[in-house]
């Protein structure tokens, strides 16, 4: 293919590609090696989780919400439980709020280090990838010591948490803080000081501040474009209400914003240091008291069965805003409906802009630069079991059904 011939060819990246963590397809229009346009086609990993929730009570949905994503599983159950607490008026004890914040930051650390390592792997810096994976093991060990599990922790519940921070767990957490303060700087330096790593990320996949606003970018993707957006800062919840958490943006550290992959890398590795400070502050101020609003499960289920209302929650997950909305109907044991909007929904909209005028070889790095979670994003219902009717639903029909449902839920 000769560049400059004014003739483009379509090249598919995905749904299965060595540079992608999860299945998604990017159809790229290329002129030579230069990308002129891109169309993103999700739809390869739908699981129907929201539909499954309608056959479960809120306690059972906790463990379903946890399986939306293997990386930010605790973020999803905190967003879900807070939505239920919003609908029912349940007050969470202060100690439980602090423990939730600590686990959320532990999850952010392991998510960001994993992403940074995968980014290095994507452009062939395998030694940095291996170093990142070694460093990540420490926080995974702490999560296992605190909850008994490395991925799905089973720690959150409606009205509190199910695991306490004992003196033994606190010692493990303090050891982890010391470890990362001494060791994480090595990873930061070998990547940010390496001229080849910098060349592979600088001015690649640029998303300007203006485009980030118009395309509703969230989380580190938006902050990498210089936007000061962080729900822990603008709408604090849990223990963040007692802390001074400020958005991490590149201009505060380098004096400029380019909105490229390097800026998104910089935001994530600097947020690891921020999470360490938050955990240290939360441990120092950890209140005494109960872990749950109601420890007796049968009594809690009875209360939830009588609850009637809509609850909404939005928290700052590792990839950006994670929003859950739930409807409970009085007298019904199961959830009436449940809607989840993971941050990849919004961040994926910016992909076509990031691709334009970049080289084909950088496409996996650009896709990975928003830290996509396709498992979080995919969901739809296409069957009618009551009538046995089967129908192939087109994308435009799904979009219209989604809009009709939103109008119905909003009562318009």
């Amino acid at each position: 293919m000769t560049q400059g011939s004014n003739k483009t060819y379509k090249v598919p990246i995905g749904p299965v590609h060595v540079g992608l963590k999860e299945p998604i397809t990017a159809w790229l229009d290329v002129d030579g090696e230069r990308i002129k346009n891109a169309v993103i086609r999700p739809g390869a990993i739908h699981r129907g989780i929201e539909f499954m929730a309608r056959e479960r009570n809120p306690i059972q949905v906790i463990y379903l919400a946890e399986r939306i994503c293997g990386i930010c599983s605790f973020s999803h159950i905190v967003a879900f439980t807070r939505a239920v607490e919003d609908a029912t008026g349940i007050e969470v004890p202060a100690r439980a709020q602090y423990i939730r914040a600590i686990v959320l930051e532990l999850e952010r650390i392991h998510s960001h280090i994993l992403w940074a390592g995968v980014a290095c792997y994507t452009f062939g810096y395998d030694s940095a990838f291996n170093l990142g994976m070694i460093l990540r093991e420490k926080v995974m060990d702490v999560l296992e010591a605190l909850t008994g599990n490395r991925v799905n922790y089973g720690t959150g519940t409606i009205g509190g948490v199910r695991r306490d921070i004992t003196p033994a767990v606190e010692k493990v957490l303090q050891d982890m803080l010391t470890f990362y303060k001494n060791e994480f700087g090595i990873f930061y330096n070998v990547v940010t000081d390496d001229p080849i790593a910098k060349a592979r990320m600088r001015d690649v996949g640029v998303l300007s501040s203006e485009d980030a606003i118009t395309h509703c970018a969230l989380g580190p993707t938006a902050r990498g474009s210089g936007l000061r957006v962080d729900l822990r800062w603008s709408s604090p919840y849990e223990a963040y209400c007692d802390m001074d958490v400020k958005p991490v943006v590149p201009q505060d550290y380098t004096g400029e914003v380019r909105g490229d992959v390097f800026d998104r890398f910089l935001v994530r590795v600097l947020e690891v240091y921020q999470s360490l400070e938050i955990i240290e502050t939360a441990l120092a101020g950890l209140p005494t008291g109960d872990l749950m609003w109601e420890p007796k499960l049968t009594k809690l289920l009875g209360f939830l069965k009588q609850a009637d209302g809509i609850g909404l929650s939005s928290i700052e997950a590792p990839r950006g805003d994670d929003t859950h909305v739930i409807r409970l109907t009085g007298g019904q044991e199961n959830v009436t409906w449940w809607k989840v909007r993971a941050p990849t929904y919004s961040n994926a909209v910016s992909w076509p802009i990031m691709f334009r005028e970049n080289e084909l070889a950088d496409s996996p790095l650009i896709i990975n630069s928003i830290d996509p979670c396709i498992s979080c994003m995919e969901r739809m219902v296409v069957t009618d079991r009551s009538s046995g009717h089967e129908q192939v639903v087109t994308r435009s029909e799904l979009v219209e059904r989604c809009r009709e449902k939103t109008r119905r839920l909003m009562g318009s």
Side-chain angles (χ1 to χ4, degrees):
M1 294 184 288
T2 304
Q3 188 171 330
S5 61
N6 295 323
K7 185 175 183 180
T8 60
Y9 297 85
K10 283 193 178 296
V11 177
I13 302 294
V16 178
H17 188 279
V18 66
L20 302 179
K21 292 189 292 182
E22 293 184 74
I24 192 167
T25 305
W27 283 95
L28 306 179
D29 294 328
V30 297
D31 177 4
E33 292 293 319
R34 190 66 60 181
I35 302 170
K36 294 298 181 181
N37 195 19
V39 175
I40 307 299
R41 290 287 183 229
I45 196 171
H46 167 65
R47 294 174 295 169
I49 282 182
E50 288 172 338
F51 180 77
M52 286 191 279
R54 295 162 64 176
E55 297 180 345
R56 290 165 168 79
N57 65 49
I59 296 294
Q60 293 171 322
V61 175
I62 291 173
Y63 305 99
L64 197 60
E66 197 168 40
R67 281 153 180 80
I68 291 176
C69 177
I71 302 298
C72 46
S73 57
F74 192 71
S75 299
H76 278 292
I77 64 170
V78 169
F80 170 75
T81 55
R82 285 179 56 80
V84 174
E85 288 152 10
D86 181 49
T88 58
I90 290 176
E91 296 285 341
V92 179
R95 186 174 179 85
Q97 292 185 29
Y98 270 64
I99 294 174
R100 282 182 178 183
I102 289 171
V103 181
L104 285 170
E105 295 309 316
L106 290 172
E107 195 168 73
R108 194 181 318 277
I109 291 171
H110 101 71
S111 176
H112 282 357
I113 295 179
L114 172 64
W115 178 88
V118 169
C120 294
Y121 170 79
T122 305
F123 55 78
Y125 198 174
D126 286 4
S127 54
F129 166 72
N130 291 329
L131 178 58
M133 293 304 98
I134 291 171
L135 292 172
R136 179 174 174 257
E137 278 304 299
K138 189 66 174 178
V139 70
M140 302 304 289
D141 289 343
V142 172
L143 285 165
E144 186 173 358
L146 173 59
T147 69
N149 297 300
R150 286 168 58 89
V151 179
N152 293 325
Y153 317 117
T155 296
T157 189
I158 295 167
V161 293
R162 298 176 60 242
R163 297 285 185 272
D164 198 4
I165 293 184
T166 63
V169 171
E170 183 173 355
K171 182 179 183 307
V172 173
L173 280 163
Q174 295 290 1
D175 290 344
M176 181 204 72
L177 294 173
T178 303
F179 173 81
Y180 280 127
K181 286 178 180 176
N182 294 331
E183 303 295 334
F184 188 69
I186 299 172
F187 176 79
Y188 178 85
N189 291 334
V190 298
V191 179
T192 57
D193 290 346
D194 186 278
I196 297 176
K198 205 166 183 178
R200 288 303 309 272
M201 294 190 283
R202 259 302 179 216
D203 299 323
V204 172
V206 173
L207 181 70
S208 68
S209 301
E210 294 76 16
D211 286 334
I213 293 171
T214 56
H215 289 73
C216 302
L218 300 171
T221 302
R223 292 193 285 277
S225 296
L227 302 183
R228 296 184 190 277
V229 291
D230 190 324
L231 288 175
R232 297 172 298 172
W233 168 68
S234 57
S235 301
Y237 49 91
E238 309 295 2
Y240 301 116
C241 299
D242 299 333
M243 301 179 192
D244 184 21
V245 181
K246 294 181 179 176
V248 174
V249 287
Q251 62 264 38
D252 290 347
Y253 298 87
T254 64
E256 62 175 350
V257 181
R258 298 198 189 182
D260 52 18
V261 175
F262 185 82
D263 278 352
R264 293 192 275 280
F265 179 92
L266 196 65
V267 165
R268 288 191 173 91
V269 293
L270 291 172
E271 285 186 353
V272 170
Y273 289 112
Q274 183 188 50
S275 293
L276 296 176
E277 292 178 5
I278 292 173
I279 292 171
E280 192 169 29
T281 303
L283 283 174
L286 187 64
T288 57
D290 297 331
L291 294 180
M292 304 178 200
W293 177 75
E294 175 51 68
K296 294 180 179 177
L297 183 58
T298 307
K299 190 174 178 180
L300 177 61
L301 279 170
F303 176 82
L304 293 172
K305 186 176 180 179
Q306 300 306 316
D308 192 307
I310 295 175
L312 182 147
S313 169
S314 191
I315 70 167
E316 187 70 28
R319 297 174 174 93
D321 303 16
D322 182 21
T323 301
H324 287 227
V325 189
I326 190 162
R327 175 74 165 97
L328 300 176
T329 302
Q332 293 186 12
E333 185 171 329
N334 293 340
V335 168
T336 307
W337 52 256
W338 172 41
K339 187 74 174 174
V340 180
R341 196 202 66 173
T344 302
Y345 271 122
S346 294
N347 288 329
V349 178
S350 301
W351 265 330
I353 296 173
M354 296 178 187
F355 277 125
R356 285 175 195 158
E357 298 303 328
N358 282 270
E359 293 190 10
L360 182 61
D362 289 328
S363 54
L365 179 62
I366 294 171
I367 291 175
N368 287 335
S369 71
I370 69 163
D371 194 8
C373 182
I374 311 306
S375 298
C376 289
M377 191 176 71
E378 301 272 23
R379 67 214 65 198
M380 63 181 181
V381 177
V382 295
T383 60
D384 185 351
R385 294 191 306 178
S386 60
S387 65
H389 177 69
E390 295 183 359
Q391 179 186 2
V392 176
V393 182
T394 65
R395 179 176 177 275
S396 59
E397 289 172 329
L398 281 172
V399 170
E400 182 52 36
R401 289 187 185 196
C402 180
R403 290 171 177 168
E404 190 279 331
K405 181 181 178 183
T406 301
R407 287 192 289 266
R408 175 161 43 87
L409 296 180
M410 300 301 293
S412 59

